[in-house]
Every structure is written in C-alpha cells, then in structure tokens.
Amino acid sequence: KSSLRENKETISRQYKQFRESMVPTHFSLYEKACNKSEQILKIAPDKKSYKEMEEAINTAHLNVTPIGVSSFAILGPLAFMLIAVTLSLGIPYALGASPSMFFLVLSVLGGIAIMMPLQNLPKQLANTWRLKASNEMVLAVFYTVTYMRHTSNLELALEFAANHLTGPLALDLRKVIWDLETEKFSSLKESLDSYLESWRKWNMEFIEAMHLIESSLYEGSEDRRLSLLD
C-alpha cells in the first residue's frame, strides 16, 4: 500500500510539473483570483451554466471550480469599481478640486462591462486550447499507431505520443494516463473514452481514429490488427 501511494504521488507530481510547464503564467494568476474569490463569497451559476463551465474548465486544465469562476466574475469587477471610485474621489480631493462625475460613471460602467467576459473566460480559454490541440491530432494518431504497430500496448503508446508532442494535446494525453493511475477511472479505455467524449462536438474523425486503435487490441490475427492500425 505504501509503495502504491508513493507511485501515485510521483505520477501526480509529474503531471502537475508538466502542467505548470505547459500552462501559461496568466492561467495561474486567474486560478488564484478565482480560488480566493470562492473563499470570500460563494456564488454558484445555474445548473446549465455550471455543467458548461465545468466542461470548459476541464478542457483548459484549470485548477478552479465553476463557483470560483462565478465568484470572481462578481467580486473582481466590484473590487475594480471600488478602487476606481475611491481614486476618482480621492485624487481630486487631495488636489483640492471637485470630483468628476464622468470618471465616477466610467468606473461603474467599466466594472459592469467586464463581468460577462470574466464569466465566459473559461469557455474562451477552452476554445483556444481546443484550437491548439486540434493542430496536433494527426501527429498524435501517427505516434500512437507507430508505437502500436510493434507493441500492442495502448498505455505505452499514449505515453509515447505525449512525450513526442509539444503542445496542449501532450498534456491531454498525460491527463488520460494520470486519471487511470490515480484511480479516477478503473481502466485505460474508460479514461480515454471519457476524454474522447469531450471532442464529440468538435472532431469526430479524431474519436473514430482512436477507437480504431483501441479495437486493434482485441484482434486475434496479427494481420487484422496491423490492417486496422493502417
């Protein structure tokens, strides 16, 4: 049990280190802001928005929750308005002048204007992630098939592909393996199929290619197995 726990901790650490190297720095700042906002005030989105936001968060590999995103979308603009209004009143007062209503109104409108973009930010980040990942799909299939042709082991093939890819899809494939090793899923097929499901609305060809690769594992004939991979 001790060795299994240490193995899981090693895998978890490796995934997190790789994630940190792949995810842009501004993601980390956004995550901290969302998590802090959730601690201050929990604001939950409606059920439909919650599910969509959760899917976007998982796609973009963000360490936040839908509640944290919604909380920051409200508290962030409120903090901006408070600071902007304080400066609009404080600076003229310090200079002995009258406060400008223009800047007061602009501060309030500016805060309101950024609420919706902050609410939708995970979806925008997920779309950007998908766009970059889709550019690597042909290579991902190529590397997986190349490995599977000489060794019929899907887990090692996905690891081989992840090690040779350099973009977001490498992190996605590592997450598939990580979810298996940490027992989020009971089998690699279950973990991979769950990940592929996230592409159903975006790229059915990738799903079909990966399913063909999966099916090659169950072929008794070597010629048939290689034919499926080809």
Side-chain angles (χ1 to χ4, degrees), residues 14-24 27-28 31 60-64 129 171 174:
Q14 288 174 347
Y15 168 73
K16 289 176 181 177
Q17 289 173 347
F18 187 70
R19 177 190 173 277
E20 288 172 2
S21 69
M22 292 286 295
V23 174
F27 274 35
S28 178
E31 289 168 348
H61 297 267
L62 293 170
N63 286 330
V64 297
W129 190 275
L171 184 59
R174 285 179 182 267

Side-chain angles (χ1 to χ4, degrees), residues 145-158:
V145 168
T146 298
Y147 193 94
M148 290 282 287
R149 281 187 62 83
H150 66 78
T151 305
S152 188
N153 185 309
L154 185 56
E155 182 175 348
L156 293 179
L158 292 178

Side-chain angles (χ1 to χ4, degrees), residues 37-55:
S37 297
E38 184 176 358
Q39 293 174 3
I40 297 171
L41 179 65
K42 296 182 183 295
I43 303 174
D46 59 76
K47 289 184 179 179
K48 182 181 178 182
S49 298
Y50 191 100
K51 186 175 180 180
E52 292 175 350
M53 200 177 295
E54 192 171 42
E55 181 183 345

